[in-house]
Amino acid sequence: MTQARVPSIRRRLLVRMLLPALALALALGFAGALVIRNVVETTHDRLLDGSVLAIAERLTVEDGEVSVDLPRVALGMLESQAQDRIYYGVTYLGELVTGYRDLPIPDVGALQPGVTIHRDGVVRGASVRIAAQARRVYGKPSPVLVQVAETREARQTLERRLLAGLALAELGLLGLIGALSWYSIDSSLRPLTRLSDAIGRRAVPGAINLQPLDVAGVPREALAPVFALNTLLHRLEQAIAGERSFTSDASHQLRTPLAVLRMHVELLRRTPPGDAAQAATIDDIDGAARRLERLLSQLIALARADEGLAETGAPAAVADLNDVATRVVTEQVPHALARGAEIALDRPDGPMPVVGDPFIVGEILTNLVDNAIRYNRARGTTTLRVRRTEVGACAEVEDEGPGIPPEAREKVFERFYRVASRDGPEGSGLGLAIVRALADRIGGAVTLASPAARSGLVARVDFRVPRDAATPAEP
């Protein structure tokens, strides 16, 4: 399926500027061709007129007969590089005195004596231009007809050369107009290019910039969409700020009563045991409090991730992925033991620097390991692997649980989305959303896959490494 062609304002403006110029060039070319033809005809007709006059001036009457002393210059002035053929004729009362009999004879009575006329004709199969004049001679009652004809090769050659010169001049002019138009359009659209670059910089992965666009230097025609975009950015900033404020305030306001609730539960546990219903109620209260505390911790982490995405320009922090992984596994050991599961760490020796704040990298790994322990099978093993890759470093958290169907592996990154399961533990559906948000903040990438040849899930996070700390991938 072919992709639709993206319209271009620059190309459209150039075409719409060149089309009138092309139409004008065609009109000028047509007018120029008429002028060239007229000039060529007039110039060569004057040469013919000179030949006719030179012959007519030599007409005399001797012994009652018309005679002419044909001057050499009369026909010599018509010589050209085109080697045109010249025909002449002197007739009196239709009888040829001298010259060529092939020349057609016009009606002499219709000619005004002393006035040269011009007409086109054909002599010996060639197209010719004929100049004719009726001249009265002393001693003869009727006028003598003098004609000179010339083939059209010289005229056509000169006309073609002039037309070619006109065409080249017009092509050069069109090229100059196109170049100047392109430069003018490019200069005029340069503010829009800067505006496009300013908008594009707001789409940098891992950063959200909601600052309004600078309207200084924006053309008047583009002010309306810029103002509309600035209004949209302002409203979006207000909406995100309100959401962050609500999440942060609600989380901090509920921390205190949860702490008090858990303190009283611990006090009840230390009192002499009562009946079984009281003990079950205490366990339910404790479980609910723990779940609510975990939910609030995740909301706080999510709010921090959103807040970090809105910050731009801060220098990138560096964390040691090996140290962070070791700390996370150590902190999650009690959680794994409480569920009768095992946890393992597989990491190379030495430091492994990655781009990202240590707290953020720790939150990413903590959520992945916590999810893996919760959704693992009974007495299953959760493994955290750290290794180098060709372009950076990665951490993989693998469990032996039921896994996630391939069609749901993208949806689980949405907030509060949970895969339907009867026997699965309760959760908030925020763990992987937090992982995705925090990974985006530091320029990482999260992917889910199935282990080879068994059930379970492998959650992989690819981290960027500092430029001065790039290392080759492990074999």
Side-chain angles (χ1 to χ4, degrees), residues 212-427:
L213 296 170
D214 186 11
V215 298
V218 176
R220 182 182 304 173
E221 293 77 7
L223 284 177
V226 170
F227 285 149
L229 183 58
N230 283 343
T231 302
L232 178 62
L233 291 175
H234 178 66
R235 292 179 180 177
L236 183 60
E237 184 178 21
Q238 288 181 330
I240 294 177
E243 181 184 356
R244 289 201 304 264
S245 177
F246 169 79
T247 304
S248 180
D249 292 344
S251 302
H252 286 289
Q253 291 294 332
L254 291 175
R255 266 187 187 276
T256 300
L258 282 175
V260 173
L261 179 60
R262 293 199 61 189
M263 181 185 67
H264 284 292
V265 170
E266 291 296 329
L267 291 176
L268 287 174
R269 289 184 182 278
R270 295 176 185 179
T271 59
D275 55 9
Q278 182 183 11
T281 300
I282 293 174
D283 290 340
D284 290 342
I285 293 174
D286 183 55
R290 290 180 183 275
R291 287 194 299 272
L292 187 55
E293 185 178 31
R294 182 171 181 272
L295 172 61
L296 292 177
S297 298
Q298 289 181 322
L299 287 175
I300 292 174
L302 195 57
R304 288 176 177 174
D306 289 341
E307 184 177 0
L309 286 175
E311 297 174 357
T312 58
V318 177
D320 188 341
L321 187 57
N322 279 336
D323 288 347
V324 174
T326 302
R327 174 174 57 81
V328 170
V329 170
T330 302
E331 293 174 353
Q332 292 294 321
V333 167
H335 183 200
L337 294 178
R339 300 183 66 87
E342 296 183 359
I343 185 170
L345 173 64
D346 182 8
R347 45 155 283 187
D349 295 331
M352 186 176 292
V354 295
V355 175
D357 185 88
F359 173 79
I360 295 177
V361 177
E363 284 292 315
I364 292 174
L365 298 183
T366 297
N367 278 276
L368 291 178
V369 173
D370 181 79
N371 275 0
I373 294 174
R374 286 177 181 275
Y375 295 95
N376 208 341
R377 65 176 179 83
R379 292 181 296 277
T381 301
T382 298
T383 304
L384 172 58
R385 298 188 187 90
V386 177
R387 58 189 181 89
R388 295 182 177 88
T389 64
E390 294 181 357
V391 295
C394 75
E396 294 180 343
V397 179
E398 181 178 346
D399 61 55
E400 300 173 353
I404 298 176
E407 63 272 12
R409 287 176 184 170
E410 189 60 30
K411 294 183 178 179
V412 294
F413 291 106
E414 300 176 3
R415 300 182 183 185
F416 302 108
Y417 178 86
R418 299 187 70 247
V419 179
S421 176
R422 291 184 179 179
D423 303 328
E426 296 183 1

Side-chain angles (χ1 to χ4, degrees), residues 49-72:
D49 293 348
S51 295
V52 170
L53 290 175
I55 295 175
E57 292 294 333
R58 294 299 186 96
L59 292 176
T60 60
V61 177
E62 295 180 359
D63 299 330
E65 299 292 332
V66 177
S67 65
V68 57
D69 181 15
L70 186 66
R72 183 178 182 84

Side-chain angles (χ1 to χ4, degrees), residues 125-163:
S127 177
V128 295
R129 182 70 168 171
I130 304 172
Q133 182 182 128
R135 173 65 66 93
R136 290 190 177 277
V137 182
Y138 180 79
K140 289 293 183 180
S142 299
V144 179
L145 177 64
V146 179
Q147 295 186 99
V148 178
E150 179 189 35
T151 54
R152 307 188 66 91
E153 281 81 5
R155 298 171 185 252
Q156 293 172 351
T157 301
L158 180 59
E159 188 173 345
R160 284 195 296 267
R161 289 179 180 176
L162 293 177
L163 288 176

